[in-house]
Amino acid sequence: MDNVDLKAHKSYMRWCIDLAKIAKKRGDSPVGSLIVQNGKIIGEGIESGKTQIDITFHAEIEAIRDATKRIERQDLSDCILYTTHEPCIMCSYVIRHMKIPIIVAGITTGEIGGFSSHIPILLDTIIKRWSAPPTIIKGVLEKECSALHD
């Protein structure tokens, strides 16, 4: 990753952190997510599982929903997903289905994570209908993302 990429990754992650602060303020888990296509934000997601009383309202899924509505297709193979937290197992399935090739995450989530858990769906190569596992860039603004839990 060169300095131009890192500068862009940090910029988009700051946006995700701002979205996560909105979630935290309203009582949801502090997670924010973006979908970026060719340098343009096409989807935003704010964690809303508690306020919506629906577990599927994770920030990553909300960003994907927003993006697919805007571009009117489900193939996101030309996009990057940014998120303050490593996508969970549920979100990881959606990410793989939508063919997102690059994931940029602030912090890992351990036992429920899509790449750091014992069920690393983001790294799976057995399910033949999925394309190659996405490139995972972790630790972007890690301290700032971790501080969302203070």
Side-chain angles (χ1 to χ4, degrees), residues 119-132:
I119 308 169
I121 291 174
L122 286 173
L123 306 177
D124 182 81
T125 58
I126 296 171
I127 298 174
K128 300 301 178 203
R129 70 171 41 186
W130 287 347
S131 55

Side-chain angles (χ1 to χ4, degrees), residues 31-73:
V31 184
S33 185
L34 295 174
I35 301 289
V36 175
Q37 179 186 55
N38 301 318
K40 180 182 175 189
I41 296 170
I42 62 165
E44 291 186 1
I46 299 172
E47 192 84 5
S48 304
K50 291 178 184 171
T51 53
Q52 292 293 326
I53 314 171
D54 183 338
I55 190 70
T56 67
F57 278 77
H58 281 201
E60 297 88 350
I61 293 174
E62 287 302 286
I64 290 167
R65 285 177 176 145
D66 189 29
T68 57
K69 284 180 186 171
R70 289 187 196 195
I71 65 172
E72 299 180 332
R73 64 180 167 89

Side-chain angles (χ1 to χ4, degrees), residues 11-24:
S11 177
Y12 290 124
M13 190 59 71
R14 283 186 192 94
W15 191 305
C16 289
I17 290 168
D18 288 343
L19 296 172
K21 288 176 181 176
I22 294 168
K24 183 176 182 174

Side-chain angles (χ1 to χ4, degrees), residues 81-150:
L81 181 139
Y82 290 86
T83 183
T84 55
H85 288 57
E86 170 187 4
C88 74
I89 294 164
M90 174 181 65
C91 293
S92 296
Y93 178 89
V94 176
I95 290 165
R96 292 302 298 271
H97 183 79
M98 298 296 186
K99 303 176 185 171
I100 298 172
I102 302 172
I103 310 299
V104 180
I107 61 173
T108 58
T109 55
E111 71 180 1
I112 62 164
F115 59 82
S116 68
S117 73
H118 293 292
I119 308 169
I121 291 174
L122 286 173
L123 306 177
D124 182 81
T125 58
I126 296 171
I127 298 174
K128 300 301 178 203
R129 70 171 41 186
W130 287 347
S131 55
T135 298
I136 296 168
I137 300 166
K138 58 186 176 181
V140 175
L141 298 183
E142 185 174 12
K143 288 180 184 176
E144 293 89 335
C145 292
S146 187
L148 291 165
H149 295 279
D150 294 341

